[in-house]
Amino acid sequence: MTKVSVIGSISMDLVTRTNRVPNAGETVFGEDFAMVPGGKGANQAVAFARLSPNEVSMIGAVGKDAFGESILQNFKENAVIFENVGTVPQTTGIAQITLYDDDNRIIIIPGANNEVLPSYLADLWEKVKESQLVILQNEIPHETNLAIAKFCKENAIKVLYNPAPARKTDLEMIDFVDYITPNEHECKELFPNLALEEILKKYSNRLIVTLGSEGVIFHDGETLQKIPAIKAKVVDTTGAGDTFNGAFAFGLTENLSISDSIRLAVVASHLSIQKFGAQGGMPKLSEVKAKLKELEINLY
């Protein structure tokens, strides 16, 4: 039985670092450029695999190009099971990322990720059924996410849904998933007319909202719980949310409580932003445990 199946996006990140963002019609010099594997789905699979190798299966698609070949090799090197990643007659997904002022700006070109339709999963439903937990995000078609969430609900499979980037159809998913992990902006997109505390109470122990440098907040059924972030020297915030989701999923599969799973995930994302690339800083379990010990947080 596979611990986790991640069904989602796979892309190549084209990353530019700059000290200045150009205005319309303006050209500026950047600091450096790199191509690194990414995509929310792939990132979350790698984040989980760094903590628990060979226990996460990636389901998705790459294109018939050099980017696709490089990404499959990256899965192999990171102990992600990728036998259910198909190659389709499309370009591999691309994310154009600009790093500026300790933050990022991202443009996504889905490419092969748009081919991950419900029909694409026709021969994979039994693989999904073997999973202890399924992780979804919003960089594949909504109709696919909804079909997966309904299938998992019918088969008593837990679903962690990261509604990023936000889209208007996200509310259709809520009745079929067990954990929802938007950031503060995505939460406002989901629930534009409700106060954060009211929303969290309504979806206690299900809605977990990440607040960047302010930490993470959720309602435990009795009170509002806020778990603070850990101060760090930021190198690259790309992939911090994906690291959080992968590590949070790992905590859940280790039978940690929601609050302890969040604490573990906060430490993992804290470590991730201190290195370059969405996947570059994703920590191994030994690194997370060492940081937990340093912080005198006992989860095990």
Side-chain angles (χ1 to χ4, degrees):
M1 179 179 180
T2 304
K3 261 193 173 183
V4 167
S5 288
V6 179
I7 309 173
S9 60
I10 304 168
S11 71
M12 185 63 75
D13 291 350
L14 310 181
V15 187
T16 300
R17 190 190 308 273
T18 182
N19 286 328
R20 185 178 164 208
V21 176
N23 296 314
E26 182 184 23
T27 300
V28 300
F29 284 102
E31 296 298 304
D32 52 53
F33 171 80
M35 295 189 297
V36 291
K40 282 191 170 296
N43 289 343
Q44 291 173 17
V46 169
F48 190 98
R50 293 273 174 87
L51 303 172
S52 188
N54 299 308
E55 292 194 302
V56 55
S57 177
M58 183 73 216
I59 298 175
V62 296
K64 291 184 176 180
D65 51 33
F67 286 162
E69 294 174 8
S70 177
I71 285 166
L72 295 182
Q73 180 61 31
N74 183 65
F75 283 141
K76 183 177 181 180
E77 292 171 358
N78 282 283
V80 173
I81 300 165
F82 62 96
E83 61 187 22
N84 297 315
V85 175
T87 302
V88 298
Q90 276 273 8
T91 59
T92 297
I94 295 294
Q96 180 184 317
I97 301 172
T98 300
L99 302 181
Y100 168 73
D101 194 26
D102 291 342
D103 214 334
N104 58 59
R105 292 161 170 79
I106 303 174
I107 300 174
I108 298 168
I109 299 91
N113 296 307
N114 274 346
E115 299 301 308
V116 185
L117 296 163
S119 58
Y120 184 85
L121 302 175
D123 299 324
L124 299 175
W125 290 116
E126 288 303 312
K127 293 289 184 182
V128 175
K129 196 182 288 187
E130 294 173 1
S131 308
Q132 181 180 343
L133 177 72
V134 168
I135 304 176
L136 301 172
Q137 327 77 30
N138 276 354
E139 292 180 349
I140 59 172
H142 168 69
E143 61 190 285
T144 308
N145 275 346
L146 189 58
I148 296 164
K150 288 180 176 179
F151 176 85
C152 289
K153 186 80 170 180
E154 291 168 2
N155 289 277
I157 302 164
K158 297 285 188 181
V159 176
L160 191 165
Y161 173 49
N162 177 220
R167 51 192 178 193
K168 293 179 180 179
T169 50
D170 290 347
L171 281 175
E172 296 178 25
M173 296 284 292
I174 289 181
D175 289 340
F176 304 101
V177 302
D178 300 275
Y179 308 101
I180 313 143
T181 58
N183 62 26
E184 192 172 15
H185 169 74
E186 292 151 359
C187 191
K188 287 178 182 177
E189 291 281 321
L190 270 168
F191 309 102
N193 300 315
L194 296 173
L196 180 57
E197 186 171 347
E198 182 181 355
I199 304 162
L200 291 166
K201 188 174 182 179
K202 181 177 181 180
Y203 296 103
S204 61
N205 290 310
R206 294 183 61 213
L207 180 63
I208 293 97
V209 181
T210 57
L211 306 173
S213 61
E214 296 299 313
V216 181
I217 193 167
F218 77 107
H219 196 285
D220 67 3
E222 295 182 358
T223 60
L224 207 62
Q225 299 287 340
K226 187 172 183 181
I227 297 173
I230 306 163
K231 289 184 179 180
K233 184 178 180 181
V234 176
V235 173
D236 184 359
T237 59
T238 310
D242 296 330
T243 303
F244 176 88
N245 279 278
F248 178 61
F250 171 75
L252 294 174
T253 61
E254 289 287 288
N255 297 315
L256 296 181
S257 66
I258 291 175
S259 59
D260 282 350
S261 295
I262 291 172
R263 288 185 179 91
L264 185 146
V266 165
V267 168
S269 56
H270 158 78
L271 293 169
S272 77
I273 63 175
Q274 297 177 62
K275 294 182 181 179
F276 173 76
Q279 297 176 13
M282 289 176 174
K284 295 180 179 179
L285 184 57
S286 58
E287 296 173 281
V288 173
K289 285 185 172 180
K291 190 65 182 182
L292 287 168
K293 185 176 181 181
E294 177 189 326
L295 296 169
E296 298 182 343
I297 300 173
N298 183 23
L299 303 183
Y300 291 91

